[in-house]
Amino acid sequence: MGFFHYLVLFVLLSLPVLLGAQKANISLGSYLTASDDASWRSPSGDFAFGFSRINNQDLFLLAIWYEKIPGRTLVWYANGDNLAPKGSKLQLNNNGNFTLTGPQGQEIWNPKSSTDGVAYAAMLDDGNFVLAGRDSNYLWESFKNPTDTILPTQVLELGGKLSSRQTETNYSKGRFQLFMKTDGNLVLRPIGLPTDFPYPAYYESNTDSADEMNSGYRMVFNESGDLNVFLRNGSVVNLTKNRTKSMGDYYYRATLDADGIFALHAHPRTQTNGSLGKTWFAIWSVPDDICSDMDAGTPTDLGGGPCGYNSYCRLDEKRRPLCECLPGFSLSDPNNKLNGCKQNRIPNCHQDNAKPEDLYEMQELPNTFWPVSANFEQLPGVDEDDCKRLCLHDCNCMVTTIREGTCWRKKLPLSKGRMDYNVYGKAMIKVSKSDAPSDEPSAGNSEIEKKDRATLILVGAVFLGSSVFLNFLFVAAISLFVFYSYKTKLKPTHTSNILEPNQRTFTYRDLEEATDGFKEEIGRGAFGTVYKGVLLSSNSRTYVAVKKLDRMVQEGEKEFKTEVSAIAKTHHKNLVRLIGFCDEGSNKLLVYEFMSNGTLASLLFGMSRSDWNKRLQMAFGIARGLTYLHEECSTQIIHCDIKPQNILLDDSFTARISDFGLAKLLMSDQTRTHTGIRGTRGYVAPEWFRNMPITAKVDVYSYGVMLLEIICCRRGLEMENENEEEVILADWAYDCYKEKILDKLVEDDEEARNDIKRVEKLVMVAIWCIQEDPSLRPSMRTVTQMLEGVVQVSEPPCPSPFN
Ligand SMILES: *[C@@H]1O[C@H](CO)[C@@H](O)[C@H](O)[C@H]1NC(C)=O
Ligand SMILES: *[C@@H]1O[C@H](CO)[C@@H](O)[C@H](O)[C@H]1NC(C)=O
Ligand SMILES: *[C@@H]1O[C@H](CO)[C@@H](O)[C@H](O)[C@H]1NC(C)=O
Ligand SMILES: *[C@@H]1O[C@H](CO)[C@@H](O)[C@H](O)[C@H]1NC(C)=O
Ligand SMILES: *[C@@H]1O[C@H](CO)[C@@H](O)[C@H](O)[C@H]1NC(C)=O
Ligand SMILES: *[C@@H]1O[C@H](CO)[C@@H](O)[C@H](O)[C@H]1NC(C)=O
Ligand SMILES: *[C@@H]1O[C@H](CO)[C@@H](O)[C@H](O)[C@H]1NC(C)=O
Ligand SMILES: *[C@@H]1O[C@H](CO)[C@@H](O)[C@H](O)[C@H]1NC(C)=O
């Protein structure tokens, strides 16, 4: 138990000594004037302290940055709220006074520490800038006064905090804070500006404890790039336990980004020729879903949420928040998408006795909702038309939502709005008719720059017709990456306006009608038959694929609901989306969105070959989809039957995995008897036949086989092939790889032959995937990273060493 204490003590004691040996002193009397090349470097040259020009203007930020990485990533800055004009001067006086003054001698920044006894300053190799006393003790350290970044070896003590910036390029204090609370909990929380009043946390490390001895007392960012909270009892809590592995020699930094996400970033130290990324990339971040996590815990109506007021939040594919203004609104600060939106026109209720219908219309925003706090009235038993009308006629009403026959009216400002495609239902927003797109947007708003006018007009044009608008949303929908459904803990029972996750139920009759009596069969698989159908609503036709399950396990009633809800919770652009289901006794049906372009199998093995790059995109997409199923959705889903027949292609030829989540549903347990083998000959992993546990690695195996098929456009097994060594694609591919004759694999594919380096890399990835020993196979996440070039692909061993 004393070990960690010892470790900390050792690190703390040894640090100044170790670094002291290398430091180049900045002696009293030194100064820097604000210009591009004014800086003091650390002895190794890794970091520099000095002036950094902002936005190509004659304004400078006193900052610390990585000197060896192009693009100047700042890790600390002094005067974000008060930039220094050209001609400003930073001076370390003979009396130890360290001050940044403007050209007129006005004070811009000082470290607010006692100047008594300052003997020198130093830029250290770990990124810490210090003012040191005569006995080399540190009187002031940038590490003790962090901005939005912490670096390896840096510590956040109780009461320590990071503050986000306003935007990527505006270093003023932003709305988010990482705070080491005195109870030992590390939290992320929004703050109200300019008072810094804290709102409830949207992430907690849970390192507080009723017993003070078991609570945390400091966060340490250690040299291996892990964030740890040290507990008073000697234990260490590894916050970045599940971070993406990175190999090799990296710079690390953890930042509270302008959008409120706390992320650990890595960058290779040395410029390598390999496929390692040469930019910063995030290897860990919290929270997972900032759009919904920000009103988790204790919902409060204070604060604007991740996007500010009158906007709504959705996640992009990197799980970063995307903020969008409501129709009729535009950004409050055109340079900052996270700072909320303002109304283009303030509605005037008593205008010339005009009818509200002539002045306003209710615009629909599908899948959008707000927490309860925005409501001011609940009107049960009102239909959609009445709900709209009532809002049009009510001066106070800006937005209504309809949920289960209840109409909710909401007032401004609206905060914490979210758009989530897992949620059915819609919001209707009152928009002034004179706010039509052809009008000058936001009249009387001279400070909006031309560029932003252009975007507003563009946005306006998109909203022009509702069908165009819906298209826009649809495109947005399929380009979204991951959506967790509304977390159960956030689902207060009394707030029926918070919509349930996507679990629309259909009656058997509904589906019989939709499919015209199950007339058009479009597929038949291990689980049942698939029919094409169409769902009609008042103004739209949605084509669907209805899957009739025919092999249900008997006791599967409760399981069916669980599995269906797990499937319904998934949302990824490379997965076929479940729209709903029917569960009437033995009639179990699943309703999916309809994929218009057939299967990957028909594309690969059909008459005409699809082009190389398109095929690669599909391979990448499928890998991302599987990574999501294995690691990123709320319950892990092992597909068990990955093959080209189960990959469907949508309108834009994006590959979408289908039939996932069914494996568990349709077998009482995943037995390994011959009939119990899930999967298809040629694609099943060896562990199905052996006494080995079935893990996500079975999908990796199948993916490997399929990747070879994608590369070569042929089936994994070609019994009729006259060249015996070419019958099994996996063996043949390994032989070609070993003998360095990969062009034979893609003999009649000119595009691929011209890209033979890439062919080699993909074949290597595939060989890693089809290793007989599951533990040698990489995870799908690693596969994705190898394909994307984030991690290097090493030489694979022979897949079946014992044959
Ligand atoms: C330090 O120097 C600045 C500018 O030269 C001056 O404004 C400030 O009063 C000095 N502070 C102290 C404590 O001497
Ligand atoms: C830096 O200054 C301190 C105090 O004057 C001195 O003890 C130390 O030797 C100096 N180090 C270097 C490398 O000059
Ligand atoms: C940064 O944002 C703040 C707050 O919105 C604003 O007052 C300030 O002028 C901005 N600074 C720059 C350099 O744009
Ligand atoms: C310290 O406290 C934590 C949190 O209660 C607990 O999980 C851990 O086991 C404790 N460690 C020791 C060494 O007592
Ligand atoms: C950093 O922290 C991690 C996680 O607690 C630990 O495994 C690792 O050994 C630490 N590295 C160093 C250099 O202390
Ligand atoms: C902490 O997480 C890292 C993952 O990056 C892992 O390497 C390390 O072993 C973990 N340490 C502990 C003590 O769990
Ligand atoms: C990296 O590539 C350059 C030019 O392609 C080459 O000169 C250099 O030797 C390579 N370095 C390594 C470490 O492979
Ligand atoms: C790590 O765990 C946290 C908390 O459970 C989660 O929010 C986050 O998404 C995970 N990160 C990765 C890379 O899996």
Side-chain angles (χ1 to χ4, degrees), residues 442-471:
S442 58
N445 229 324
S446 52
E447 81 267 26
I448 295 192
E449 293 161 16
K450 276 216 186 69
K451 190 183 92 207
D452 295 285
R453 281 177 190 267
T455 27
L456 282 175
I457 291 169
L458 189 72
V459 170
V462 168
F463 285 117
L464 189 62
S466 77
S467 68
V468 178
F469 175 48
L470 287 176
N471 282 343

Side-chain angles (χ1 to χ4, degrees), residues 122-382:
M123 179 72 246
L124 306 179
D125 278 335
D126 55 1
N128 195 7
F129 185 84
V130 298
L131 294 177
R134 266 173 277 281
D135 45 4
S136 291
N137 55 324
Y138 297 157
L139 302 173
W140 183 88
E141 300 175 50
S142 63
F143 269 15
K144 292 265 164 70
N145 297 274
T147 49
D148 63 352
T149 303
I150 73 169
L151 296 173
T153 73
Q154 196 166 348
V155 172
L156 218 50
E157 306 282 0
L158 292 184
K161 58 173 183 261
L162 302 185
S163 293
S164 65
R165 349 176 154 157
Q166 276 283 328
T167 67
E168 203 55 43
T169 51
N170 179 331
Y171 297 84
S172 287
K173 190 193 282 174
R175 289 193 296 125
F176 307 103
Q177 194 178 66
L178 175 81
F179 189 63
M180 186 74 208
K181 282 169 64 178
T182 45
D183 64 5
N185 220 357
L186 183 77
V187 299
L188 285 170
R189 62 193 190 182
I191 53 170
L193 291 174
T195 56
D196 289 9
F197 182 77
Y199 298 135
Y202 56 94
Y203 162 80
E204 301 185 8
S205 63
N206 296 317
T207 45
D208 56 340
S209 168
D211 179 358
E212 202 192 329
M213 260 324 286
N214 292 338
S215 66
Y217 70 101
R218 58 181 359 192
M219 180 181 82
V220 177
F221 189 7
N222 80 15
E223 279 170 288
S224 359
D226 279 305
L227 293 161
N228 294 317
V229 173
F230 284 60
L231 307 185
R232 290 179 210 271
N233 66 13
S235 291
V236 176
V237 177
N238 194 354
L239 298 182
T240 42
K241 202 174 357 237
N242 60 346
R243 74 173 159 93
T244 320
K245 283 269 181 319
S246 51
M247 313 180 298
D249 196 13
Y250 282 90
Y251 288 112
Y252 293 105
R253 69 190 164 97
T255 56
L256 176 53
D257 295 328
D259 55 12
I261 305 274
F262 183 47
L264 176 57
H265 305 269
H267 188 294
R269 267 175 191 272
T270 45
Q271 296 293 316
T272 51
N273 281 359
S275 53
L276 284 167
K278 284 177 190 148
T279 53
W280 287 102
F281 55 94
I283 56 175
W284 174 86
S285 68
V286 284
D288 185 55
D289 180 353
I290 195 167
C291 297
S292 68
D293 289 349
M294 203 165 287
D295 62 329
T298 43
T300 161
D301 39 6
L302 297 178
C307 288
Y309 297 106
N310 305 323
S311 52
Y312 57 88
C313 181
R314 56 201 174 86
L315 292 184
D316 73 4
E317 46 191 73
K318 291 185 168 148
R319 307 196 70 76
R320 296 276 173 170
L322 282 175
C323 300
E324 219 83 58
C325 289
L326 295 174
F329 289 74
S330 52
L331 293 176
S332 306
D333 173 357
N335 297 317
N336 190 351
K337 293 200 93 176
L338 300 161
N339 237 356
C341 306
K342 62 180 191 305
Q343 209 160 8
N344 296 339
R345 254 163 231 277
I346 310 295
N348 180 351
C349 250
H350 311 287
Q351 212 173 14
D352 309 329
N353 303 324
K355 279 177 36 197
E357 281 83 356
D358 298 334
L359 297 175
Y360 310 109
E361 60 189 12
M362 298 300 289
Q363 234 172 54
E364 286 185 5
L365 207 51
N367 311 81
T368 308
F369 54 101
W370 286 267
V372 230
S373 49
N375 294 330
F376 70 91
E377 235 175 307
Q378 172 183 3
L379 308 165
V382 173

Side-chain angles (χ1 to χ4, degrees), residues 491-503:
K491 219 192 292 162
T493 45
H494 59 281
T495 55
S496 53
N497 75 319
I498 294 180
L499 302 172
E500 295 286 327
N502 170 13
Q503 283 189 41

Side-chain angles (χ1 to χ4, degrees), residues 1 53 57 66 178 250 254 266 270 287 369 378 402 518 531 541 579 609 641 671 673 701 739:
M1 124 154 194
R53 187 187 289 268
Q57 294 166 325
Y66 291 92
L178 175 81
Y250 282 90
T270 45
F369 54 101
Q378 172 183 3
I402 277 268
F518 299 102
Y531 302 90
R541 297 160 68 80
I579 292 175
R609 178 197 309 265
D641 198 10
T671 44
T673 61
Y701 185 93
E739 289 160 35

Side-chain angles (χ1 to χ4, degrees), residues 4-26:
F4 283 106
H5 280 313
Y6 174 72
L7 192 72
V8 177
L9 213 63
F10 173 76
V11 170
L12 288 181
L13 290 178
S14 57
L15 221 53
V17 177
L18 291 172
L19 295 164
Q22 328 162 317
K23 84 188 142 218
N25 287 350
I26 295 151

Side-chain angles (χ1 to χ4, degrees), residues 513-540:
E513 245 164 59
T515 56
D516 197 7
F518 299 102
K519 207 164 96 194
E520 193 179 341
E521 182 179 322
I522 51 175
R524 196 179 274 264
F527 303 121
T529 314
V530 189
Y531 302 90
K532 186 170 178 177
V534 59
L535 298 177
L536 299 172
S537 71
S538 53
N539 49 10
S540 71

